[in-house]
Amino acid sequence: MPAGDNNSFPGSVAIALAAIIIPILLSIFARNPPISRRPSNPNLTVKDPTTAADMDGIRHRTLTLNGINVHVAESGPADGPVVLFVHGFPELWYCWRHQMAAVASHGYRAVAPDLRGFGDTDAPADPASYTAFHVVGDLVALIDAVAPEGQKVFVVAHDWGAYMAWYLCLFRPDKVKALVNMSVLFNPRSPNRKPLPSLKAFLGDDYYVCRFQEPGVIEAEFAELGTERVLKEFFAYHTPAPLYMPKSKPFGHSPDVQIALPPWLSEEDLKYYIDKFEKTGFTGGLNYYRNIDRNWELTAPWQGDQVKVPVKFIVGDQDLTYNTGNARDYIGKGGFKRDVPFLQEVVVMPGVGHFLNEERADEINSHIVEFIRKF
């Protein structure tokens, strides 16, 4: 659930909280990609019964990339076209288990790492080791390790993974054949305002991205709540509004409130996440948020640059990213298409929240396979 620099607030304030996708009016279809609210090919259904106990098709290995040990899960034929899956927070490679099985069944080679700071991948201690340059460096090294020399890969990403996938396409478009990005819109860099002060000004100090900034503070609160409770809170968040985390009411309500698992996440699935985050803690993932302003500083050379790879974008209409800020002008007046000129489609999924790749796995599988088969 990232946030950063986006022109989604009045006065071109930079907000990358996860950008917001809205239906584009028919009157401007001529200059914008179409928005659909269903799979564009309803006859293409890519199902996957994968559960935590049925992972025989997944291969695991550890690669030394960009100076760290990176855990990588793979599925599908070793010589198939590579589909690189990039997760967000608080996720792991595991959030792509359904999509990996789906693309593998169509002859693709699915590759899903735990990003630095997550799961079984190394977690550098220095918060400054989690910039876009570091993470994209890991992804480029991974692409070089798994793809034949000179071969581009498909990229599928969500949340912080989507944020980094935009940077990957901005920095190294020569590595990417096409991108399916979810939840987080491309965020053009504002030259005049840093993201974090803008977030505080418009959303306040209790806004979750602001609360994540000081090392150790939110970790202590999460430790008091317990790993299971924290993960349940994140995965069950299905409110079409910004997430606030005041100290007196973590996640906006009393800790005594009972949190039920969403129907798309089993107890077995939750246990996988709990086991990994119990070992690593949340600091690695939180360090991505702590580099929002640093990313803004480092990416000045790309000011005004475009993402020039074919893109399909998918978001749920109940996603907090869809319901925070004011990106309607950015989408409706052609800003998104201007900054991502090869944007081919925006899909808004009715009734779907933030973790759409797990909540509506079959539909997401269909969207991915249908799109990458075009290339």
Side-chain angles (χ1 to χ4, degrees):
M1 296 181 172
D5 53 323
N6 185 305
N7 295 329
S8 58
F9 281 108
S12 298
V13 173
I15 297 293
L17 154 73
I20 308 167
I21 304 300
I22 63 169
I24 301 175
L25 299 176
L26 291 174
S27 62
I28 55 173
F29 269 4
R31 54 177 175 166
N32 288 285
I35 286 182
S36 66
R37 292 184 173 271
R38 63 183 67 85
S40 53
N41 180 358
N43 296 317
L44 177 62
T45 302
V46 185
K47 293 185 178 295
D48 166 48
T50 304
T51 67
D54 182 23
M55 301 295 285
D56 292 340
I58 304 293
R59 307 181 296 274
H60 298 269
R61 58 175 170 154
T62 299
L63 302 176
T64 300
L65 306 171
N66 200 21
I68 64 171
N69 295 314
V70 177
H71 166 247
V72 181
E74 298 179 80
S75 185
D79 60 350
V82 174
V83 183
L84 174 63
F85 292 92
V86 193
H87 69 79
F89 176 88
E91 297 174 305
L92 303 164
W93 76 269
Y94 185 78
C95 74
W96 298 114
R97 61 199 180 279
H98 307 293
Q99 287 72 45
M100 293 177 71
V103 301
S105 72
H106 284 266
Y108 295 93
R109 179 183 177 186
V111 177
D114 283 333
L115 295 180
R116 63 169 53 211
F118 289 88
D120 295 318
T121 291
D122 286 351
D126 185 358
S129 296
Y130 293 82
T131 70
F133 284 178
H134 291 87
V135 179
V136 171
D138 298 343
L139 296 177
V140 169
L142 177 56
I143 292 170
D144 289 343
V146 300
E149 185 175 357
Q151 186 179 98
K152 297 182 178 182
V153 304
F154 297 103
V155 178
V156 179
H158 174 249
D159 189 76
W160 267 107
Y163 193 93
M164 293 302 167
W166 290 123
Y167 279 132
L168 171 63
C169 294
L170 195 65
F171 301 160
R172 297 298 303 272
D174 60 304
K175 296 292 185 182
V176 180
K177 186 176 296 185
L179 169 66
V180 178
N181 241 4
M182 303 179 205
S183 291
V184 176
L185 181 67
F186 177 67
N187 300 284
R189 182 182 183 277
S190 171
N192 301 317
R193 299 195 184 190
K194 286 188 176 182
L196 189 58
S198 299
L199 287 169
K200 289 183 177 181
F202 282 91
L203 293 169
D205 290 339
D206 286 339
Y207 180 56
Y208 78 103
V209 176
C210 302
R211 291 275 283 116
F212 287 176
Q213 294 304 311
E214 187 175 349
V217 173
I218 198 69
E219 286 95 328
E221 295 179 27
F222 283 177
E224 186 174 347
L225 287 171
T227 302
E228 179 176 354
R229 174 71 183 212
V230 170
L231 290 170
K232 279 185 175 181
E233 291 276 13
F234 277 119
F235 289 139
Y237 193 83
H238 208 273
T239 303
L243 173 60
Y244 292 95
M245 302 183 68
K247 292 182 181 180
S248 59
K249 291 185 176 181
F251 293 93
H253 52 245
S254 168
D256 296 331
V257 173
Q258 295 298 310
I259 302 295
L261 278 182
W264 47 265
L265 191 71
S266 70
E267 292 287 350
E268 192 175 15
D269 294 328
L270 180 65
K271 186 178 185 304
Y272 185 91
Y273 287 110
I274 292 171
D275 288 346
K276 296 302 180 182
F277 280 101
E278 285 280 6
K279 293 177 182 177
T280 65
F282 293 95
T283 298
L286 293 167
N287 281 338
Y288 286 67
Y289 296 89
R290 292 164 183 162
N291 280 278
I292 289 175
D293 279 354
R294 187 174 287 112
N295 287 333
W296 178 86
E297 295 168 358
L298 293 172
T299 55
W302 286 268
Q303 178 67 44
D305 207 355
Q306 296 173 311
V307 171
K308 294 182 178 178
V309 303
V311 173
K312 181 172 188 172
F313 190 85
I314 312 173
V315 69
D317 71 356
Q318 299 299 297
D319 195 328
L320 76 167
T321 69
Y322 183 85
N323 295 281
T324 302
N326 182 25
R328 294 177 182 270
D329 285 348
Y330 180 62
I331 299 298
K333 294 184 178 180
F336 193 17
K337 180 67 173 178
R338 177 198 64 226
D339 296 329
V340 186
F342 302 136
L343 178 66
Q344 298 192 8
E345 186 179 8
V346 173
V347 178
V348 179
M349 301 182 71
V352 179
H354 183 68
F355 299 97
L356 67 175
N357 48 318
E358 296 198 68
E359 182 177 350
R360 294 288 180 86
D362 289 346
E363 291 179 51
I364 294 298
N365 294 349
S366 296
H367 278 300
I368 293 169
V369 172
E370 182 184 49
F371 186 64
I372 66 177
R373 287 166 106 183
K374 297 177 180 178
F375 303 93

